[in-house]
Amino acid sequence: MIPFTYYSPTRFIFGNGSVCKVGQQAKAYGATNVLVVYGSFHAERSGLLKKVVDSLALEGIKVLTLGGVKANPVDSLVYKGVQVCKENHIDFILALGGGSVIDTAKGIAMGALDDGELWDFYSRKRMPQKALPVAVVLTIPAAGSEGSGNSVLTQESTLLKRSATGECIRPRFSILDPELTFSLPLYQTACGIVDMMAHIFERYFTKVTSVDLTDEMCEGVLRSIIKAGSTIRDYWNNPNSVEMKEARASLMWAGTVAHVDILGVGREGDWSVHALEHEMSALYDVAHGAGLAITYPHWMRYQMKFKQERFDQLAERVFGVKDGMEGIQKLSDFWTSLGMPTRLSQIPGFKESDIFVMAKKAKRNRPGELGNFHPLNDDQVVEVYRSMI
Amino acid sequence: MIPFTYYSPTRFIFGNGSVCKVGQQAKAYGATNVLVVYGSFHAERSGLLKKVVDSLALEGIKVLTLGGVKANPVDSLVYKGVQVCKENHIDFILALGGGSVIDTAKGIAMGALDDGELWDFYSRKRMPQKALPVAVVLTIPAAGSEGSGNSVLTQESTLLKRSATGECIRPRFSILDPELTFSLPLYQTACGIVDMMAHIFERYFTKVTSVDLTDEMCEGVLRSIIKAGSTIRDYWNNPNSVEMKEARASLMWAGTVAHVDILGVGREGDWSVHALEHEMSALYDVAHGAGLAITYPHWMRYQMKFKQERFDQLAERVFGVKDGMEGIQKLSDFWTSLGMPTRLSQIPGFKESDIFVMAKKAKRNRPGELGNFHPLNDDQVVEVYRSMI
């Protein structure tokens, strides 16, 4: 184990119907003038947005709303939100949605208290020191942003997808109401499953030794996600079954556990697959989870040549097979059974020449080799991308 | 899963040598006048107390010390500490030790800001609303008090052992420096191993269904503790080996993970074994871990009649055997191999008639039956105690 500081002060409020507590919670955290950030019109049509706004209003909290966040969120909407905050003396940001909405809300929260160039925080020129308080009502278990101090945005002008990090953007509280996920389409559910598993893999693939405790926890959570995901797939036509509802609940908490870093302490993660995928979803606007489903098995097969032992352990403990390569295949088969793609050629608009564009961008602002587990040089990055075609 | 709120704002600073950061950390949390609470003279002889006091002084923090905390801490020393705080305008309590020291420090922190009867918080007549900030330098991985909002004390006048709970006594930061545990005797190490495993068992034995995610995490941490404990036992004569040092580090973090409640969310714990043991260690002053090592296997054998399935799962997933009873035996054998007792008759001064005294006290202030997994009525409590003779 390597030295670490673990600090996770977010208050997680979990349970069916817990969305109704959002007003009391926001008030308890001192909110008086809230901007609710959300994504699709689903929030409006389903009545969820109204339920949240009413709960806030009931506590005498003033509310403005900002919709329109899309998957792979861009900086332009953040600038719009920052302007709304500054013009209306907003003192609290509530994200109502999944990772894209939460990351947009975090960007707005930083920009609202900053007079410099917001992108500096994403290009790592500056570290954010202050932000408006952010809270979350989660609707998609996937990104783990409800418990993290990170925000990932794409800069529209460059199509660079980058992340900003700071304690000040860690959500004050996050409401995890499994009922809000009962109507989530299979494709989005699957993308979330891949995303949360990827967050564990990024931590699992480390060159740090003596990490048995966190290995055991990572492997246990992976097994549980696979069980819940399989149940959701198998009970798809019984959305009201106890099995389905319990699997949805388990998956919702798993997504938070996967990224709150209790699985990553004392070890150095790899994170190269996220770097490879970010450029993919920035270029094609493919869902992050779908991009990860393409990238991970190919990255694993490539890395297996260099570090077989870790893949054999994963295969045996998580997939119940002895051989690492067989384990990788079982992982890929599981994701395929949920409707996830396996190759770049399945992405509309993909051209082989784009590989060099993505490889160049994945390496930009990252000196040296990519990743920590078994770092990739420029040629190897291209080789891994090529294996995904 | 049942609804829950998970809130764990303690900052954990883990790593060899991290004790040197205590001064900076205390200052960052606003400490100006600190009372350092500690236990044996070991802290003095080893130079650890001086190291901590110097680190605080270096930051311009005034320091007073209060030593003499013993295992199964009593209320009298707490009253003494409260007086010191009130007379010297102490604004921060630093616990330097294990669970007994931390729980004493928490008691002092509550008493320092309260003019009523402190024991009210332990008899649950009142809930603590405010306390001086508490922080920890941990020297014994066991109780998990470094990450919890609980304090367990024994009232000398009644020999009642009770716990107080409140967010206000949750440590602001806890320094986990594995090096401080390298010299821990095998007996104390073993007591710690039993204590942290017991904290997981209390959560593991639940009647709540659909708890696969936390089951997997509980079982993984249990396996890891058994591995680390076995390594410490097997490398006892190689205290400077890498294996020993890594096992000590793993065990230190495991003790925190076991009780910080990430393993208990969404499920209702049992906690009857802690109730049974508390009266044992209150009456005989046997170490809490040793008392738990006696109590748990007998409680498990008794409960197996009613809830075999859960014991079979534990046996298979943690001990690699099919039959629940065989798993319980493997658990007992593991603890015995570390020098833990298995029967009440091994406790100096034990008399069979004491069983009724303990049974009566264990039930006091607990209306109805004892525990949640498979509750015990008065006769069953006596029966379980009798099986331990």
Side-chain angles (χ1 to χ4, degrees):
Chain A
M1 292 171 79
I2 54 176
F4 65 85
T5 293
Y6 181 69
Y7 180 56
S8 172
T10 302
R11 187 182 301 269
F12 297 102
I13 298 136
F14 180 99
N16 292 334
S18 56
V19 63
C20 301
K21 299 177 180 170
V22 64
Q24 306 158 18
Q25 284 297 321
K27 190 175 186 181
Y29 279 84
T32 68
N33 196 0
V34 173
L35 177 67
V36 178
V37 181
Y38 65 99
S40 69
F41 292 108
H42 169 74
E44 292 168 5
R45 278 203 309 273
S46 66
L48 176 59
L49 179 64
K50 184 178 184 311
K51 190 181 281 185
V52 167
V53 169
D54 290 349
S55 174
L56 292 164
L58 196 67
E59 303 293 332
I61 296 169
K62 281 169 58 186
V63 182
L64 285 176
T65 64
L66 176 70
V69 180
K70 296 198 167 39
N72 302 311
V74 292
D75 54 348
S76 57
L77 188 66
V78 170
Y79 297 128
K80 187 173 162 193
V82 168
Q83 193 181 354
V84 173
C85 289
K86 289 181 172 177
E87 288 171 358
N88 299 277
H89 311 292
I90 295 294
D91 59 17
F92 199 94
I93 313 282
L94 180 70
L96 170 59
S100 301
V101 169
I102 301 167
D103 288 3
T104 299
K106 289 172 173 177
I108 294 170
M110 287 186 283
L113 298 187
D114 188 66
D115 296 323
E117 172 50 61
L118 180 68
W119 194 253
D120 290 352
F121 298 133
Y122 292 85
S123 61
R124 303 293 170 115
K125 270 191 207 150
R126 293 187 294 149
M127 290 293 288
Q129 301 303 328
K130 58 189 198 311
L132 288 177
V134 176
V136 174
V137 172
L138 188 65
T139 62
I140 306 173
S145 189
E146 67 277 9
S148 85
N150 304 319
S151 164
V152 178
L153 287 181
T154 299
Q155 186 174 42
E156 277 185 318
S157 57
T158 61
L159 289 189
L160 281 177
K161 192 169 189 177
R162 294 287 179 257
S163 80
T165 300
E167 273 308 323
C168 58
I169 55 173
R170 193 184 286 274
R172 299 295 209 275
F173 67 86
S174 288
I175 289 181
L176 309 178
D177 185 340
E179 275 179 1
L180 303 185
T181 71
F182 289 176
S183 60
L184 206 59
L186 184 55
Y187 185 79
Q188 268 179 295
T189 305
C191 286
I193 288 169
V194 175
D195 197 7
M196 59 183 80
M197 290 179 77
H199 286 150
I200 302 174
F201 288 140
E202 294 288 16
R203 293 168 167 94
Y204 190 75
F205 293 105
T206 181
K207 57 175 188 280
V208 177
T209 56
S210 305
V211 289
D212 177 68
L213 175 58
T214 38
D215 270 5
E216 285 277 11
M217 293 172 75
C218 287
E219 291 154 353
V221 177
L222 284 168
R223 284 190 298 268
S224 186
I225 292 170
I226 292 168
K227 276 181 238 171
S230 305
T231 301
I232 290 171
R233 179 197 61 209
D234 301 341
Y235 283 79
W236 191 254
N237 297 324
N238 300 304
N240 297 318
S241 60
V242 175
E243 291 82 356
M244 182 63 129
K245 290 177 176 179
E246 290 288 0
R248 288 286 197 188
S250 185
L251 203 59
M252 187 165 219
W253 183 236
T256 302
V257 170
H259 200 44
V260 78
D261 215 32
I262 191 80
L263 305 182
V265 293
R267 50 201 297 153
E268 178 188 43
D270 184 73
W271 297 101
S272 59
V273 171
H274 266 71
L276 295 174
E277 194 291 323
H278 278 167
E279 303 314 333
M280 201 183 296
S281 47
L283 198 60
Y284 304 114
D285 208 29
V286 62
H288 179 51
L292 289 166
I294 293 172
T295 312
Y296 243 119
H298 295 284
W299 176 89
M300 287 177 169
R301 291 189 187 100
Y302 187 85
Q303 296 289 28
M304 172 116 175
K305 295 192 290 284
F306 307 98
K307 300 252 193 168
Q308 174 149 3
E309 198 179 309
R310 193 124 269 265
F311 294 94
D312 288 348
Q313 179 179 321
L314 177 73
E316 181 163 5
R317 296 194 186 176
V318 175
F319 297 99
V321 293
K322 283 262 171 246
D323 172 60
M325 201 55 90
E326 202 181 336
I328 297 168
Q329 191 55 49
K330 277 185 165 287
L331 170 67
S332 180
D333 293 347
F334 170 60
W335 286 347
T336 307
S337 78
L338 298 173
M340 288 288 98
T342 60
R343 308 210 146 271
L344 281 169
S345 46
Q346 293 170 266
I347 300 178
F350 167 74
K351 302 189 311 294
E352 187 165 346
S353 59
D354 291 341
I355 282 177
F356 301 97
V357 180
M358 292 191 286
K360 191 152 179 292
K361 287 166 64 192
K363 287 302 304 299
R364 195 190 301 188
N365 94 352
R366 289 188 186 80
E369 304 190 316
L370 193 61
N372 300 302
F373 172 60
H374 173 260
L376 301 170
N377 62 33
D378 295 14
D379 296 345
Q380 291 171 316
V381 167
V382 172
E383 222 177 311
V384 172
Y385 271 125
R386 178 165 284 123
S387 70
M388 301 182 209
I389 295 175
Chain B
M1 291 171 79
I2 55 176
F4 65 85
T5 292
Y6 181 70
Y7 180 56
S8 171
T10 303
R11 186 181 302 267
F12 297 103
I13 298 137
F14 181 99
N16 292 334
S18 56
V19 64
C20 301
K21 299 177 179 171
V22 64
Q24 307 159 15
Q25 284 298 322
K27 189 175 188 182
Y29 278 85
T32 69
N33 195 1
V34 173
L35 178 66
V36 178
V37 181
Y38 65 99
S40 70
F41 292 109
H42 168 73
E44 291 168 7
R45 278 202 309 273
S46 67
L48 176 58
L49 180 63
K50 184 179 184 308
K51 190 182 280 186
V52 167
V53 170
D54 291 349
S55 173
L56 293 163
L58 197 66
E59 303 293 332
I61 295 169
K62 281 169 59 187
V63 182
L64 284 177
T65 64
L66 177 70
V69 179
K70 296 195 167 40
N72 303 312
V74 291
D75 55 347
S76 56
L77 189 66
V78 169
Y79 297 129
K80 188 173 162 193
V82 168
Q83 194 182 349
V84 173
C85 290
K86 289 181 172 177
E87 287 171 0
N88 299 277
H89 312 291
I90 296 294
D91 59 16
F92 199 93
I93 314 281
L94 180 69
L96 169 59
S100 301
V101 169
I102 301 166
D103 288 3
T104 300
K106 289 172 173 177
I108 295 170
M110 287 186 285
L113 298 187
D114 187 66
D115 295 323
E117 173 48 63
L118 180 69
W119 193 254
D120 290 350
F121 299 133
Y122 293 84
S123 61
R124 303 292 170 116
K125 270 191 210 153
R126 294 186 294 149
M127 290 294 287
Q129 301 304 329
K130 57 189 198 313
L132 288 177
V134 176
V136 174
V137 173
L138 188 66
T139 62
I140 306 174
S145 190
E146 66 278 9
S148 84
N150 304 319
S151 164
V152 178
L153 289 181
T154 299
Q155 188 174 42
E156 277 185 319
S157 59
T158 60
L159 290 188
L160 281 177
K161 192 169 187 176
R162 295 288 180 256
S163 79
T165 300
E167 272 309 322
C168 58
I169 55 174
R170 192 184 286 275
R172 300 294 210 274
F173 67 85
S174 288
I175 290 181
L176 310 178
D177 184 340
E179 275 178 1
L180 304 184
T181 71
F182 288 175
S183 60
L184 205 59
L186 184 56
Y187 185 79
Q188 268 180 294
T189 305
C191 286
I193 288 168
V194 175
D195 197 7
M196 59 184 79
M197 290 179 76
H199 286 151
I200 301 174
F201 288 139
E202 294 287 16
R203 293 169 166 94
Y204 190 74
F205 293 106
T206 181
K207 58 174 186 281
V208 177
T209 56
S210 305
V211 288
D212 177 68
L213 176 58
T214 38
D215 270 5
E216 285 277 11
M217 293 173 76
C218 287
E219 291 154 352
V221 177
L222 284 169
R223 284 189 299 267
S224 187
I225 291 170
I226 292 168
K227 275 182 237 170
S230 305
T231 301
I232 290 171
R233 179 196 62 210
D234 300 342
Y235 283 80
W236 192 253
N237 297 322
N238 301 305
N240 297 319
S241 60
V242 175
E243 291 82 356
M244 182 64 126
K245 291 177 175 178
E246 290 288 0
R248 289 285 198 187
S250 185
L251 203 58
M252 188 166 219
W253 183 237
T256 302
V257 170
H259 200 45
V260 79
D261 214 32
I262 191 81
L263 304 183
V265 293
R267 49 201 296 153
E268 178 188 43
D270 184 73
W271 297 100
S272 60
V273 171
H274 266 72
L276 296 173
E277 194 291 324
H278 278 166
E279 304 314 333
M280 201 183 296
S281 47
L283 197 60
Y284 305 113
D285 207 27
V286 62
H288 179 52
L292 289 167
I294 293 172
T295 312
Y296 243 118
H298 296 285
W299 176 88
M300 287 178 169
R301 291 188 186 99
Y302 186 85
Q303 296 289 29
M304 171 118 177
K305 296 191 289 285
F306 307 98
K307 300 254 195 167
Q308 173 149 3
E309 198 180 306
R310 194 122 268 263
F311 293 96
D312 288 347
Q313 180 179 320
L314 177 73
E316 180 163 6
R317 297 195 187 175
V318 175
F319 296 100
V321 294
K322 283 260 173 250
D323 172 59
M325 201 54 89
E326 201 182 338
I328 297 168
Q329 190 55 48
K330 277 188 166 286
L331 169 68
S332 180
D333 292 346
F334 170 60
W335 286 347
T336 307
S337 79
L338 298 173
M340 290 287 98
T342 59
R343 307 209 149 273
L344 281 169
S345 47
Q346 292 171 266
I347 299 177
F350 167 73
K351 301 188 310 294
E352 187 165 347
S353 59
D354 291 342
I355 281 176
F356 300 97
V357 181
M358 291 191 287
K360 193 154 179 289
K361 286 165 66 193
K363 287 303 304 297
R364 195 189 303 186
N365 94 354
R366 291 189 183 81
E369 305 191 313
L370 193 61
N372 300 303
F373 172 60
H374 173 260
L376 301 170
N377 63 33
D378 296 19
D379 296 344
Q380 292 171 315
V381 167
V382 171
E383 223 177 309
V384 172
Y385 271 125
R386 180 167 282 120
S387 71
M388 301 183 208
I389 295 176

